[in-house]
Structure formats: C-alpha cells, structure tokens
Amino acid sequence: MAISHSHDHGAANTPCSPQDTEAFLQEAEALVVRQGQRMTKIRRKVLRLLLDSDGPAKAYDLLANLDGEGAAKPPTIYRALDFLQDTGLVHKIESLNAYVACGHTSHSHSAVFLICDTCKGAEELHATATSASLKAETHAAGFHMTRAVVEVRGICRNCAA
Ligand SMILES: [Zn+2]
Ligand SMILES: [Zn+2]
Ligand SMILES: [Zn+2]
C-alpha cells in the first residue's frame, strides 16, 4: 500500500508521520531496522499503545494496558521507552511526565510541543527553522546535542475558540 507523504509543512497540526497506526508501525519498523536495531514485541506494543492514546501517556498507564505482554515490569517499559526515544519514534514531555509518538519521524528535528494548559493536549509542531537554529547554536557553544524537546505552554486553538 502506497502511503502519501504530501502534507503542509506550515501547520502545527499536520504531522508528517502516517496517521494510520498500522502504517506508522510499518515505517517505525523500517526505521529501526535501518538503524541496525530490532523492533521487539514489547517495543512495538508500547509504540502501538502510544499511537492509540488520545494524548500524552504516562508510563504507568502503558504498564496497565500491556495485558501481561512479556515481563511487563516497570523497568521493561522504561527500557522500551528509552529505546523508542533514542530512535526518535517517541518523545518524552518532561513537564507532563508523559510520552507521545513522534509526528515527524521522516525528517530529523528537535521536538517542539505546544502544550495546552486548559485541556493538557500536546501537539508536535513541525518546527524545522527552530530545529536548525537550536542545532547551530548548541554547536556554536561547543555542546554536542543528542536530543531536545522544547515545551511551549499556552492555550490551544480549540480551547481558545
Ligand atoms: Zn518528533
Ligand atoms: Zn514534519
Ligand atoms: Zn486545549
């Protein structure tokens, strides 16, 4: 099945990654393999739960929904989440202590989240200019950046309406 990648890169609410769970998982697996890694059962399951979640999910919510998959103990979940973050498939939003599936896996980026103080929703912004300047400025400071998540607080367009 061909997946269209055409999208408007200007809008905050237009993720580049497939919106369909199965399509996303397929792309995720290909990305993991390209990185010489393996998409294990637990990693896939955690990613699926994040994709199916309505908003940012906490680790213990994921744990509760694993249905006894593997040895579902907290360290297992955290290891899977760490792996998914390292591959760029998942981001952690520190201020919510929660995780979300990445909306922009097809291109390298720093994650910029618009977090609504009213509904607690978090939307990943397609922020290529911010990513580029963050990279340039951290590099100029002699700092080697491995990952960055920018958390912008405010009121989303639905709650403002
Ligand atoms: Zn992302
Ligand atoms: Zn994008
Ligand atoms: Zn809102």
Side-chain angles (χ1 to χ4, degrees):
M1 187 179 67
I3 296 147
S4 170
H5 283 274
S6 66
H7 50 265
D8 177 4
H9 267 179
N13 61 335
T14 311
C16 301
S17 307
Q19 289 305 90
D20 175 70
T21 301
E22 298 309 323
F24 190 108
L25 286 170
Q26 246 178 49
E27 282 206 1
E29 175 128 27
L31 187 137
V32 165
V33 168
R34 276 202 302 279
Q35 295 182 2
Q37 305 278 356
R38 235 159 41 85
M39 183 62 100
T40 60
K41 209 171 163 189
I42 185 89
R43 290 167 177 171
R44 179 194 299 274
K45 178 76 182 180
V46 168
L47 185 55
R48 181 185 291 279
L49 287 173
L50 287 175
L51 289 166
D52 291 345
S53 167
D54 284 338
K58 292 181 188 284
Y60 60 74
D61 291 327
L62 299 171
L63 192 61
N65 286 302
L66 272 179
D67 312 323
E69 189 89 41
K73 299 186 184 77
T76 316
I77 299 277
Y78 285 111
R79 270 200 303 274
L81 286 168
D82 279 347
F83 172 82
L84 292 168
Q85 281 182 85
D86 288 341
T87 57
L89 290 166
V90 163
H91 300 300
K92 183 179 186 189
I93 300 175
E94 296 287 345
S95 65
L96 301 177
N97 191 26
Y99 300 84
V100 288
C102 178
H104 302 274
T105 50
S106 59
H107 54 92
S108 85
H109 63 287
S110 303
V112 176
F113 281 98
L114 308 180
I115 304 165
C116 179
D117 284 325
T118 305
C119 68
K120 305 295 175 212
E123 184 172 38
E124 188 173 0
L125 187 69
H126 182 90
T128 43
T130 308
S131 295
S133 16
L134 195 59
K135 211 173 197 171
E137 288 178 345
T138 49
H139 184 76
F143 187 83
H144 180 75
M145 178 172 80
T146 45
R147 68 167 82 128
V149 179
V150 178
E151 307 186 8
V152 181
R153 307 298 293 231
I155 297 170
C156 77
R157 93 182 74 68
N158 291 335
C159 293

